[in-house]
Amino acid sequence: MSSPQEQLVAQLSRIKELSGLSLRALARQAGLSSSSLSRYLTGRLVPPWDAVVALCRAVGRDPRPLRAVWAEASRAGAAPAPRRNDLPADLFDFTGREAEAALVEELLRAVGAVAIDGMAGVGKSSLAVHVAHRLAPTYPDGGLYLDLHGFTPGQEPLTPQAALGRLLGALDVPRPPEDAAARAALWRSELSRRRVLVVLDNAVDAEQVRPLLPGAGKSGVLITSRHRLVSLDGVPPVALEPLADTDAARLFARAAGLALTGEDAAGQVLRLCGGLPLALRMAGARLRHRPGWTVAVLAERLRDTANRFDAVFGMSLRQLDSAQRRVFRLLGVLPGADVDAAAVGALTDLPPGRVDAALEELVDAHLLQEPAPGRYRMHDLIRRYAADLAADEEPQADAALRRVLSHYLAQAVAHDETLPSPHRRRPAPGDPAKALAWFDLEYVNLVPCVDAAVRLGMDEVVAELPRAMRVWFFRHRGTDDQVRLLDAAAAAAARLGRDQQHASLLADLGFAHAAAGRLTDALAAYERAARCASDDDLAAALALRLGFVRRDLGDLPAAQAQFRRARDLFDGLGNRAGQSQALAFDGWVTLHLGRPGEAVELARASVALADGPARITGLVTLGVALTPDDPAESLRTLHDALRLSEQHDLAHQQAWCHSHLGVALRVTGSPEQALEHHRRACELLEPLAEVQLEIDVLYAYAETCRAVGRHEEALTLLDRIIEFARRLDRPYDDERARAARETVLAAR
């Protein structure tokens, strides 16, 4: 049996035969390049759906019977695009703009950045994407695309901090720093080492974009906005006007599938569409779907409505039946960026077959885009139109929105349950990789779902959806929405009277703050959680976390009291792993309180209780405590801990082990080896954004540098700690680093 891609190639070859045209002539009639058509006909490339439609139109065939085989071929025949090349597809019927495209390319070569501005629907995004595809060979490290949602109905514009988080994630920087300035610096550093073209679409103003601009290097950025971004220094603007009559006529003719003459009716259609590519494509699609109409009939229908967009959008809408029009209206209230058919089914309460049919009709009418098989999104202008219609004509819009929010919650819970987690005994059957891929794909929809649930007072969704994202959030700590969502979830759980869930969410909130280095906020969240926790498991975990925060704030006696409380609670629960952790950190604090003998005993007890990677904490504590009196066993123990962390691919634990191996080697007289371990610890931490661990590693590294006379290097490391402490309001670390700095200056 032939593959879907082979079936599609056979169908396209049949179309070429029916046309009776040469490859070049058929490509010209369909508005395609001959090289692209050659790749489609030989199976080297799966065409975009718009190209299939154009080829079918060239021979008078209905393209819809080919949609299923095209979708299968797209999934099976085309390898997934690398994350560093996520530009939307170029429009197959892109028309005109030769002068503007040439200017944009010239400015990119000269200054590396261009801002394209113009009114809604004028084709800013299309031009940016078109130029990005044309320049792809110039940027071998790929193309990035980010919608900044400056004018997306129902969504707040992305903050610079959130935008930087997503862009760094696209470059495989997994846990960017929390601070916006640090993110911007890291983003510039990453771009300076690459040659990437970044498309920042739909910017609201210059302030949103400024932190996203590259610095030195050969990367480029294309920005689109409805506003002229005059205050962006060094970013020249290119203003787009509506298409000139000649280009407007060419685009309309291609969309309509006609060879236009200079008839008056065509001129009237062009004037009524105002030269806007979006309106011209929709008007052309309307004429194409009404073969009995003439251009004069189309012009008359457009004149019947005074408002240009009501005329064009409304005309396209009137070609649909009542159920399809209802789907269109409800899509205007849907939260998120793009959706699949299942979400639309929940929104509309329609069976899958009718949903698929409605979505196909909306795509064919250019009211909906299908950027990838099975994923749908609306142009902002059309979405606003749909939302306005829903406000006037859909009294049950809130009920529809509630259904889709419940759908996303059910999907998130189901996928989360397949993921391994310390919070559950055994995951549900399923593929964890697919579950994580689902969260990666739907994250941009899940966040606005929580916001919509807050507006509707759906406390169940507000409380449960962030909980269902717990494992995903743990793997992607530092996402900017995490704290906001957990805060809202905790408040919702309190309103629902769910004390234990409230406490658990507050504990997660504290962890999110602590991971970002905001110790005071973490302490407040943990203490609130501890006051309402009635479950001993949660109480034990909270005691351990409170101990961490107290330790990092420099209050060692209070930290020790929390670790010992945690040990007692874990002991009562029969939780050996928890006891081991509490003993290890009790030993750590005891060592720093000046009782090394007692610390060694606590660490040995910790190692004896634990199995596997849970032994790492006890081994490191033991190795550090043994360093002055038994350096050989100290180094053996620390190397055992490092091997365990490497076997289980625990990068943060590897960094911790390397750091303390550096300390042990410095104490035992091998400073050059010590420096190698300190450097390796810093390399491992660079992508992790583990602020507290980074501060600890920097202290150890600075002390070794001071001990071997590398005073300037030590001062640089201590200055980084001081900057962390200032930014995160950590007076203990600030005082400690400044004291160490004075010691270095005195020795210099």
Side-chain angles (χ1 to χ4, degrees):
M1 184 175 177
S2 58
S3 70
Q5 190 167 2
E6 290 169 337
Q7 295 174 41
L8 181 62
V9 168
Q11 294 283 354
L12 296 179
S13 298
R14 177 63 179 153
I15 287 171
K16 182 180 181 300
E17 292 171 9
L18 288 172
S19 73
L21 300 171
S22 68
L23 185 143
R24 186 180 298 275
L26 177 58
R28 186 167 55 249
Q29 183 162 326
L32 304 170
S33 72
S34 55
S35 60
S36 293
L37 181 55
S38 174
R39 289 195 292 270
Y40 303 156
L41 292 172
T42 56
R44 286 177 289 161
L45 185 67
V46 176
W49 176 244
D50 283 346
V52 176
V53 171
L55 288 167
C56 289
R57 190 169 67 236
V59 296
R61 287 189 59 180
D62 183 357
R64 285 175 289 188
L66 292 182
R67 186 184 286 275
V69 71
W70 168 79
E72 286 296 319
S74 297
R75 283 189 285 269
R83 291 187 68 194
R84 295 181 188 178
N85 289 277
D86 57 2
L87 295 168
D90 196 5
L91 288 174
F92 82 94
D93 63 353
F94 187 89
T95 301
R97 304 296 192 200
E98 289 86 358
E100 295 92 337
L103 177 58
V104 169
E105 292 182 23
E106 180 185 346
L107 291 171
L108 271 176
R109 285 190 290 270
V111 298
V114 183
I116 303 170
D117 61 76
M119 66 181 294
V122 79
K124 302 179 295 295
S125 301
S126 300
L127 176 61
V129 170
H130 181 68
V131 169
H133 280 283
R134 279 177 34 168
L135 294 181
T138 309
Y139 296 92
D141 293 320
L144 303 183
Y145 173 88
L146 182 63
D147 187 345
L148 298 174
H149 295 298
F151 301 92
T152 302
Q155 284 193 243
E156 290 296 315
L158 280 183
T159 65
Q161 187 175 17
L164 286 163
R166 295 185 189 181
L167 289 167
L168 287 165
L171 292 182
D172 296 322
V173 179
R175 293 173 187 167
E178 180 70 15
D179 180 66
R183 284 190 179 188
L186 179 58
W187 168 242
R188 291 191 295 273
S189 173
E190 289 291 330
L191 288 189
S192 71
R193 298 186 290 108
R194 311 170 195 258
R195 195 158 188 165
V196 175
L197 182 57
V198 185
V199 177
L200 300 174
D201 198 13
N202 205 4
V204 67
D205 57 27
E207 296 308 310
Q208 184 188 30
V209 171
R210 188 171 286 110
L212 316 182
L213 298 177
K218 296 183 178 180
S219 289
V221 61
L222 277 170
I223 306 157
T224 76
S225 179
R226 295 184 192 177
H227 294 157
R228 179 68 61 87
L229 306 180
V230 291
S231 63
L232 275 184
D233 295 335
V235 181
V238 172
L240 284 196
E241 299 295 335
L243 286 173
D245 288 348
T246 302
D247 288 333
R250 285 172 55 208
L251 178 56
F252 174 66
R254 296 176 76 175
L258 297 174
L260 293 182
T261 63
E263 57 191 280
D264 290 342
Q268 293 174 30
V269 170
L270 300 184
R271 285 192 296 276
L272 289 164
C273 290
L276 297 184
L278 179 64
L280 290 161
R281 285 191 179 92
M282 295 182 71
R286 178 61 173 148
L287 188 60
R288 190 177 69 241
H289 282 279
R290 287 291 183 270
W293 281 19
T294 64
V295 178
V297 171
L298 175 65
E300 182 181 348
R301 297 297 179 93
L302 287 172
R303 284 197 306 271
D304 288 342
T305 309
N307 181 284
R308 176 192 309 153
F309 297 116
D310 279 346
V312 178
F313 299 166
M315 178 173 292
S316 296
L317 200 57
R318 285 191 292 275
Q319 80 184 54
L320 308 177
D321 63 29
S322 60
Q324 293 161 352
R325 289 196 294 271
R326 175 174 171 269
V327 172
F328 173 78
R329 292 192 297 269
L330 289 177
L331 284 170
V333 303
L334 190 69
D338 64 274
V339 295
D340 60 12
V344 179
L347 179 77
T348 58
D349 204 21
L350 290 173
R354 293 184 66 188
V355 168
D356 290 340
L359 291 172
E360 288 180 14
E361 289 294 334
L362 290 170
V363 170
D364 287 344
H366 286 263
L367 290 165
L368 196 63
Q369 301 164 0
E370 189 176 10
R375 301 295 298 187
Y376 303 92
R377 68 183 303 152
M378 275 183 164
H379 187 283
D380 287 353
L381 207 56
I382 299 175
R383 183 166 175 163
R384 171 60 65 192
Y385 180 72
D388 289 344
L389 289 179
D392 293 337
E393 302 175 24
E394 286 294 331
Q396 300 301 312
D398 278 359
L401 187 50
R402 289 174 184 274
R403 285 194 301 270
V404 82
L405 296 180
S406 297
H407 162 80
Y408 274 116
L409 173 59
Q411 289 287 301
V413 169
H415 284 95
D416 175 63
E417 287 175 349
T418 69
L419 298 174
S421 167
H423 304 288
R424 63 174 62 95
R425 286 190 174 87
R426 186 177 301 166
D431 185 344
K434 287 184 178 178
L436 287 172
W438 183 87
F439 279 108
D440 287 340
L441 181 64
E442 299 291 354
Y443 176 72
V444 293
N445 295 324
L446 297 177
V447 172
C449 277
V450 174
D451 294 335
V454 170
R455 291 195 303 272
L456 291 173
M458 293 182 68
D459 280 345
E460 180 75 22
V461 174
V462 178
E464 292 290 346
L465 191 49
R467 268 172 65 91
M469 299 170 72
R470 169 186 274 176
V471 177
W472 189 88
F473 269 139
F474 181 80
R475 294 166 181 261
H476 298 78
R477 302 201 280 283
T479 57
D480 302 280
D481 304 296
Q482 185 180 12
V483 168
R484 183 169 62 81
L485 265 57
L486 288 170
D487 202 13
R495 288 192 295 271
L496 291 168
R498 300 175 181 176
D499 292 343
Q500 192 59 26
Q501 185 182 28
H502 181 216
S504 177
L505 286 163
L506 286 172
D508 288 349
L509 177 62
F511 183 79
H513 281 305
R518 296 188 295 267
L519 297 182
T520 304
D521 292 335
L523 183 63
Y526 285 149
E527 288 179 339
R528 286 171 62 200
R531 286 195 293 271
C532 55
S534 56
D535 177 84
D536 284 347
D537 282 303
L538 180 58
L542 279 167
L544 200 62
R545 292 184 182 184
L546 280 163
F548 297 152
V549 176
R550 289 294 184 189
R551 175 202 63 186
D552 297 338
L553 287 169
D555 189 350
L556 298 186
Q560 186 170 64
Q562 290 292 343
F563 290 139
R564 292 184 174 180
R565 180 169 183 269
R567 182 181 63 186
D568 291 343
L569 287 167
F570 283 127
D571 186 24
L573 293 165
N575 186 330
R576 291 169 62 90
Q579 291 178 65
S580 172
Q581 293 297 298
L583 282 164
F585 286 111
D586 185 2
W588 187 269
V589 170
T590 299
L591 176 64
H592 287 80
L593 286 171
R595 304 196 298 275
E598 187 182 344
V600 167
E601 294 308 312
L602 288 166
R604 291 193 191 280
S606 168
V607 173
L609 275 172
D611 295 312
R615 301 174 71 232
I616 294 171
T617 309
L619 287 170
V620 172
T621 303
L622 179 59
V624 172
L626 287 170
T627 301
D629 300 322
D630 193 342
E633 186 182 354
S634 167
L635 290 171
R636 280 197 306 272
T637 303
L638 289 168
H639 276 292
D640 286 345
L642 178 59
R643 277 191 293 273
L644 266 177
S645 65
E646 289 173 339
Q647 287 168 12
H648 293 274
D649 195 26
L650 299 171
H652 61 292
Q653 295 280 42
Q654 291 176 48
W656 195 40
C657 293
H658 277 292
S659 179
H660 287 293
L661 273 166
V663 174
L665 287 163
R666 178 225 305 157
V667 171
T668 56
S670 302
E672 292 305 318
Q673 284 183 265
L675 289 170
E676 290 176 15
H677 283 283
H678 288 307
R679 293 188 191 107
R680 180 59 183 147
C682 289
E683 289 171 4
L684 286 162
L685 282 177
E686 186 176 342
L688 297 183
E690 292 278 0
V691 173
Q692 182 58 53
L693 183 54
E694 185 169 357
I695 288 173
D696 293 340
V697 166
L698 290 172
Y699 273 128
Y701 191 179
E703 178 56 24
T704 299
C705 286
R706 184 197 65 79
V708 298
R710 295 173 175 252
H711 298 124
E712 295 305 321
E713 196 171 342
L715 291 172
T716 299
L717 296 167
L718 291 168
D719 285 343
R720 284 176 63 188
I721 297 173
I722 292 168
E723 172 58 23
F724 272 131
R726 181 199 60 76
R727 177 162 47 82
L728 296 171
D729 190 23
R730 297 170 64 124
Y732 170 70
D733 285 307
D734 185 65
E735 291 173 13
R736 187 178 165 203
R738 289 184 187 281
R741 200 175 192 284
E742 291 301 318
T743 302
V744 174
L745 288 171
R748 188 168 59 172

